[in-house]
Amino acid sequence: MLVSIFLEKHYRLSGRLDRLATEKDDTFRLGTESSHHLVKVSPPEEAEGVVALQTAAMRYLESTAPHLPVQRVKLTAGGEDHVTIRLNDGRTRILRVFDFVEGQVLADVDPDAERLAKAGEMLGLVDVALGEFSHPADRRGLAWDIRHFHRLAELVEHTPHPEHRRSARTVLRLFGETVVPSLGDLETQVIHGDFSPYNIVVDPTSDRFVTGVIDFGDTVRSAVIFDPAVPMANLLGRTPDDPWRDACAFFAGYQRERPVRAFELPFLPVAALARLTLRALITNWRAERVPERREYLLDHAKDDWINVQRSLSVPQDDVVAHLREAPHGHS
C-alpha cells in the first residue's frame, strides 16, 4: 500500500494500517509495536493552504496552550509537518501523522448537564487560545461555515420530503431575518469550526471529562458564536420533551470561559438551528453524489430533520431567555 511506503520512508514508521470511516480524508489508524497514530491523506480537491491552516492552528495551540488536550501533529524524520504526494494529473494530496487520541467520543456517551458544561468550557478555552491566531488561508470559503447558510437555499430542492423542505425554509427565513442583517457586526476570529460530539474525546471517569480535541478540518475565520453553535446543533432534540436542554447545558460551560456579547446572544439559537438544517441539507445532497460515503453520511445525520422540527417548536425568545441565565465567566 502506497501510504505504508510513505510512512516508512518519511516517518520511519511501520505497522498495521486500518482504514477509518471519515467524511472526506482517507484516514487510517496505524498500530506500531510501541504506539498508535492517526494517518490522514487529504482529498485532492483540498488546497494545500487549507491543510496548512489546519496544521498551523494545531501547532499554535500546542505552543500557546499546551495544557489543552489538542491532538498533536507528528513531524517527519526530516522535521516537516507533512508529506506532499504529487498525483499524475498534477494535483497534490497531503499526508499527515497525528497522535492517536485514545478514548470514547462524546457521541458514544450519555453526558449529564455538568459534563456537557465541561465540554462547553473546553471549546471556550480553545477559542480564547485561538484569539490572536491568523493564517493566510483562514478566510477560505467553506460550505459548513454558518455565515453562508442563507446562500445555500437551493439545497432545499434536493430534499425529497415536503415536510423537511418546509422546516428548512422556516430556518432559512429565521436566519435571514435575524442573523444576516448583523453578520458584519459579529465578533470574528479563527475557530475550530466542527466541535461536534465526534471530535470530542472524553473519559467519563475523569474529573476533566474532555481528554482530547481532534479534527481541525473545518478551521476557518468566522463569527465566534458559530463555534458553540455547532455542538449546540448536534445536541438539539436529544431530550424530546425539552429539545434545547442539552444545548443550553453546553453553552453554560462555554459562557464561563468565553462569554458571548449580550447583543449576539439572540443569534446563537438561530445559528444552531441553521447548522443542524445545513447538515441535513448537505447530507442529502452529498449522499446522492458520493454513493461510496452514503452510509457514513446518512448515519451521522439520521435524526436531523426530527430534531430541527422539535427545536422549532420552542419559541426563540424562550431559548434566548434560558441562554441569558448562563452565568458569565472571566472575560
Side-chain angles (χ1 to χ4, degrees):
M1 187 189 213
L2 198 57
V3 173
S4 297
I5 295 169
F6 279 104
L7 289 171
E8 179 74 57
K9 179 181 177 184
H10 296 281
Y11 289 92
R12 311 287 188 263
L13 289 173
S14 60
R16 177 185 167 133
L17 271 181
D18 293 309
R19 184 180 283 274
L20 303 176
T22 52
E23 186 188 335
K24 54 185 180 179
D25 303 284
D26 284 309
T27 305
F28 308 87
R29 179 175 181 152
L30 171 67
T32 68
E33 287 183 2
S34 58
S35 60
H36 290 271
H37 300 281
L38 189 76
V39 180
K40 279 181 174 281
V41 184
S42 67
E45 63 273 12
E46 188 157 63
E48 287 185 58
V50 168
V51 180
L53 161 67
Q54 300 160 14
T55 304
M58 297 171 77
R59 284 272 182 233
Y60 183 84
L61 289 169
E62 184 179 350
S63 61
T64 60
H67 57 288
L68 297 181
V70 172
Q71 191 170 33
R72 305 292 192 227
V73 185
K74 184 174 175 61
L75 293 174
T76 67
E80 302 294 327
D81 279 326
H82 65 265
V83 176
T84 302
I85 303 170
R86 305 207 175 275
L87 306 178
N88 292 335
D89 62 6
R91 293 185 298 171
T92 58
R93 301 187 70 179
I94 305 298
L95 183 149
R96 291 174 296 167
V97 178
F98 307 88
D99 290 345
F100 195 91
V101 182
E102 298 286 352
Q104 294 177 279
V105 291
L106 184 65
D108 292 339
V109 302
D110 187 21
D112 58 15
E114 183 183 347
R115 285 176 171 152
L116 287 169
K118 283 184 183 290
E121 286 174 9
M122 182 58 68
L123 181 60
L125 291 167
V126 168
D127 281 345
V128 168
L130 282 172
E132 300 300 316
F133 173 73
S134 65
H135 187 275
D138 64 24
R139 296 180 189 274
R140 66 182 177 127
L142 179 69
W144 289 108
D145 185 354
I146 297 170
R147 68 180 160 174
H148 304 308
F149 176 65
H150 57 297
R151 299 195 180 117
L152 298 173
E154 68 273 10
L155 289 178
V156 176
E157 306 312 319
H158 295 271
T159 302
H161 298 288
E163 195 178 351
H164 298 167
R165 291 199 295 272
R166 276 195 296 275
S167 296
R169 291 191 181 107
T170 299
V171 178
L172 278 158
R173 190 187 72 248
L174 258 178
F175 191 84
E177 291 171 356
T178 59
V179 179
V180 173
S182 298
L183 271 176
D185 302 319
L186 299 177
E187 191 174 358
T188 61
Q189 67 167 64
V190 173
I191 59 176
H192 180 282
D194 191 17
F195 199 75
S196 83
Y198 291 93
N199 293 333
I200 307 166
V201 182
V202 300
D203 178 359
T205 67
S206 162
D207 286 344
R208 277 185 91 182
F209 186 55
V210 178
T211 55
V213 178
I214 63 175
D215 196 347
F216 282 70
D218 285 351
T219 298
V220 68
R221 182 173 295 276
S222 191
V224 180
I225 60 164
F226 294 161
D227 222 13
V230 172
M232 288 173 69
N234 281 279
L235 293 166
L236 288 179
R238 275 181 16 121
T239 48
D241 295 341
D242 187 0
W244 287 88
R245 189 190 75 184
D246 286 359
C248 289
F250 178 95
F251 176 73
Y254 183 87
Q255 181 81 334
R256 286 200 285 267
E257 297 296 343
R258 197 357 180 131
V260 170
R261 296 191 294 184
F263 100 91
E264 294 187 356
L265 209 55
F267 308 139
L268 187 56
V270 182
L273 275 168
R275 170 66 184 214
L276 186 58
T277 305
L278 178 63
R279 187 171 74 174
L281 290 171
I282 287 180
T283 297
N284 286 349
W285 180 80
R286 289 191 70 197
E288 284 178 11
R289 280 155 185 73
V290 194
E292 67 272 18
R293 297 204 192 263
R294 179 181 175 83
E295 192 176 334
Y296 173 86
L297 291 164
L298 294 180
D299 183 61
H300 264 49
K302 58 182 182 294
D303 297 323
D304 286 353
W305 289 116
I306 296 166
N307 292 335
V308 167
Q309 288 160 350
R310 282 176 181 162
S311 304
L312 278 170
S313 70
V314 181
Q316 286 290 296
D317 289 347
D318 292 0
V319 180
V320 173
H322 196 157
L323 294 176
R324 286 200 194 281
E325 293 167 8
H328 284 245
H330 31 270
S331 56

